Amino acid sequence: MKAIVCEEFAPLDQLKYTDVPEPTPQENEVVVDIKAAGVNFPDGLLVQGLYQVKPPLPFIPGMEFSGVVAEQGADAKVLATGTRVLGLSTGTGAFAEKIACNPKTLVPIPDTMSHTDAANLLCAHGTAHHALKQRGQLKAGETLLVLGAAGGTGIAAVQIGKAMGANVIAACSSAEKLAIAKENGADELINYSDQDLKSTVKELTGGKGVDVVYDPVGGEAFDSCSRSMARNGRLLVIGFASGTIPQLPINLTLVKEYSVVGVYWGSFTQHEPAVFAENMKELMRWYSEDKVRLVTDREFPLSETSAALAKVMNRDVKGKLVLIP
């Protein structure tokens, strides 16, 4: 079968599109024919050796996918052959035509859900959901500020924030991106290319500050948010798409009495699988009610994975990208 192989931690253009042996299921595994695979910022970090974890080389990158159950191990008969599923790998293996996995990591999907939507639901919406619900404990009526609100996880946070009853402020770097955030439910918009983020937040909140910040960007935007928090606020650290890991003036958390909360969705799925399963049920219900929607910027053939990852790493994506084997 065809797959993308990372032979060494290196620039994105060093990834190989090549033939590899087809997987065979262990007793407790199934093999899924992959129909679509989501592309995420951590995928680009992982293959360059810049992520928190470094898998043994060589490996097939990719963590989220959708497809059809094709083969089952002797002790893995819980999903019938032909079942349409979405799935989460252990961080690798999805950028291929097939994948062997534990059926407990798979979620059956309805016929009305496209494979492209299914492949893009888990990481972005799963991260935003966990961040806002478990880590941020967002309440109806609170103010949520979403940075990078036109990216995949930013759009997810806007949608989920609205589903949870928050007043959502979207911050983006262009009018075009803000229009996308508005289409997905944002109540207020900030263009931080030509508006001062801190003073605009102060104006929009009547001087109170923000209850919850969803920050996948880091850098200068984080610095502004650290000075824009309401008392008892929660500043959620999702990632550092700007490329700059900020430094927190810790005295601000004392004076303003807010919390800085780390969000690592991959760890959450492994340590709290029952809660993760409940989150997925809620996400699937919101999807069926059209409260959450998948915004896919573009589909790439699997052979063009390097180009797709480059677009994500350059923050040149509105919504999500998907690979089609």
Side-chain angles (χ1 to χ4, degrees):
M1 70 172 186
K2 292 292 187 182
I4 297 297
V5 177
C6 178
E7 296 179 342
E8 60 180 336
F9 298 121
L12 301 175
D13 60 7
Q14 298 301 303
L15 291 172
K16 305 293 186 183
Y17 176 64
T18 187
D19 291 299
V20 299
E22 291 194 7
T24 55
Q26 301 296 314
E27 290 186 351
N28 64 339
E29 290 182 329
V30 300
V31 170
V32 175
D33 284 338
I34 295 176
K35 303 299 182 184
V39 183
N40 297 283
F41 196 84
D43 296 322
L45 295 176
L46 192 72
V47 299
Q48 296 177 84
L50 302 175
Y51 199 52
Q52 294 99 308
V53 295
K54 292 181 173 62
L57 296 165
F59 66 92
I60 298 170
M63 65 181 71
E64 65 177 340
F65 60 92
S66 68
V68 177
V69 175
E71 192 177 353
Q72 304 152 317
D75 297 329
K77 302 294 186 180
V78 293
L79 293 173
T81 301
T83 302
R84 302 173 79 249
V85 295
L86 59 77
L88 178 69
S89 74
T90 56
T92 60
F95 293 172
E97 294 180 336
K98 297 175 183 286
I99 186 170
C101 53
N102 189 315
K104 292 181 179 180
T105 65
L106 302 175
V107 178
I109 59 174
D111 291 339
T112 53
M113 180 180 245
S114 71
H115 280 295
T116 291
D117 274 6
N120 276 335
L121 179 68
L122 268 175
C123 290
H125 280 76
T127 297
H129 192 194
H130 168 55
L132 298 179
K133 187 170 185 177
Q134 281 85 34
R135 303 299 288 155
Q137 299 182 24
L138 179 68
K139 301 175 183 65
E142 289 191 317
T143 300
L144 167 67
L145 171 62
V146 179
L147 303 183
T153 192
I155 289 174
V158 170
Q159 294 176 358
I160 292 169
K162 291 305 298 179
M164 295 176 71
N167 178 58
V168 179
I169 302 172
C172 297
S173 60
S174 71
E176 182 184 9
K177 291 181 177 180
L178 284 173
I180 294 171
K182 183 70 173 178
E183 290 171 3
N184 283 276
D187 300 291
E188 305 286 352
L189 308 174
I190 301 175
N191 184 337
Y192 45 60
S193 291
D194 56 25
Q195 291 176 280
D196 180 73
L197 184 58
K198 178 174 177 287
S199 61
T200 307
V201 166
K202 183 177 181 180
E203 178 184 346
L204 291 175
T205 61
K208 175 192 172 185
V210 179
D211 296 303
V212 177
V213 171
Y214 185 88
D215 179 17
V217 177
E220 293 181 4
F222 176 93
D223 295 337
S224 295
C225 290
S226 69
R227 292 168 170 79
S228 304
M229 301 301 298
R231 183 173 179 269
N232 294 322
R234 290 83 75 199
L235 201 173
L236 304 177
V237 180
I238 314 299
F240 313 105
S242 68
T244 300
I245 298 176
Q247 301 296 311
L248 173 70
I250 198 70
N251 61 301
L252 292 176
T253 67
L254 184 155
V255 173
K256 299 174 75 69
E257 290 191 292
Y258 70 85
S259 302
V260 178
V261 184
V263 179
Y264 187 5
W265 179 71
S267 176
F268 160 69
T269 62
Q270 295 178 38
H271 287 92
E272 300 181 61
V275 181
F276 168 56
E278 289 300 313
N279 279 9
M280 284 305 303
K281 289 179 183 178
E282 187 166 49
L283 275 181
M284 294 297 284
R285 176 169 59 81
W286 282 342
Y287 178 87
S288 69
E289 296 170 350
D290 203 34
K291 290 182 179 179
V292 301
R293 302 170 301 283
L294 283 300
V295 178
T296 300
D297 190 323
R298 183 177 165 188
E299 295 180 351
F300 282 80
L302 183 62
S303 59
E304 296 181 17
T305 295
S306 294
L309 284 170
K311 282 182 70 68
V312 170
M313 301 306 290
N314 292 331
R315 300 172 66 188
D316 188 27
V317 179
K318 302 170 188 68
K320 290 287 296 289
L321 299 180
V322 70
L323 300 173
I324 306 297

